[in-house]
Amino acid sequence: MDVEETLVLVKPDGVARNLTGEILRRIEAKGYSLVDIRMIEPDRALLAEHYAEHEGKPFYEPLVEFMLSGPVVALRVAGNRVIEGFRALAGTTDPTTAAPGTIRGDFGRDWGLAVQQNLVHGSDSPESAARELALWFSA
């Protein structure tokens, strides 16, 4: 059994649309455990560290601005192969093409800002999960 932890963020669009409970329900229904949860108003410094690998890319500044637009719910989630499993549960980053049954497929909207406003973030590797969890759950 490959039990691991990952960071899941309910982005400002998910919080604003009152989808946090439904997203939590799906995570728990999949059999994953919520280890920690907090609502955060992220500042630019936190987001700059979180998205450091994307700095300089065309979508970087719009993404940071979007993530500054409202509260974010940060989740520490644990389970067997949870990194891979949550990313499958979330669906592809583009809500228009995300499969039905996934969070983005069922609730995502294409505002022409699909990469930013796609409801959730999930770490993409054990290394990213460790780094991101340390950022969002440091205090």
Side-chain angles (χ1 to χ4, degrees):
M1 200 168 185
D2 189 12
V3 176
E4 57 193 6
E5 289 189 344
T6 193
L7 174 73
V8 172
L9 299 176
V10 181
K11 294 181 177 183
D13 56 332
V15 175
R17 291 178 54 205
N18 298 311
L19 293 172
T20 304
E22 175 61 21
I23 291 165
L24 291 173
R25 186 194 68 74
R26 288 178 181 221
I27 290 168
E28 290 183 319
K30 186 80 173 167
Y32 301 134
S33 300
L34 296 175
V35 177
D36 199 351
I37 180 172
R38 45 177 82 165
M39 183 174 274
I40 300 170
E41 294 265 0
D43 60 21
R44 185 170 284 278
L46 172 60
L47 295 171
E49 283 191 73
H50 180 82
Y51 291 115
E53 70 211 46
H54 300 303
E55 192 170 4
K57 295 178 183 172
F59 63 85
Y60 174 81
E61 193 57 35
L63 176 58
V64 170
E65 288 300 319
F66 165 63
M67 292 296 289
L68 288 167
S69 71
V72 172
V73 175
L75 309 165
R76 179 185 293 266
V77 181
N80 184 45
R81 296 172 58 198
V82 70
I83 294 169
E84 174 186 10
F86 176 76
R87 290 178 66 82
L89 191 63
T92 60
T93 57
D94 182 346
T96 300
T97 59
T102 65
I103 293 166
R104 292 174 179 144
D106 290 350
F107 303 111
R109 296 179 177 165
D110 185 354
W111 302 109
L113 302 167
V115 173
Q116 291 103 9
Q117 297 190 22
N118 61 6
L119 303 170
V120 292
H121 163 84
S123 303
D124 63 5
S125 68
E127 297 76 22
S128 291
R131 184 181 68 80
E132 293 173 355
L133 285 165
L135 288 173
W136 290 85
F137 289 94
S138 62

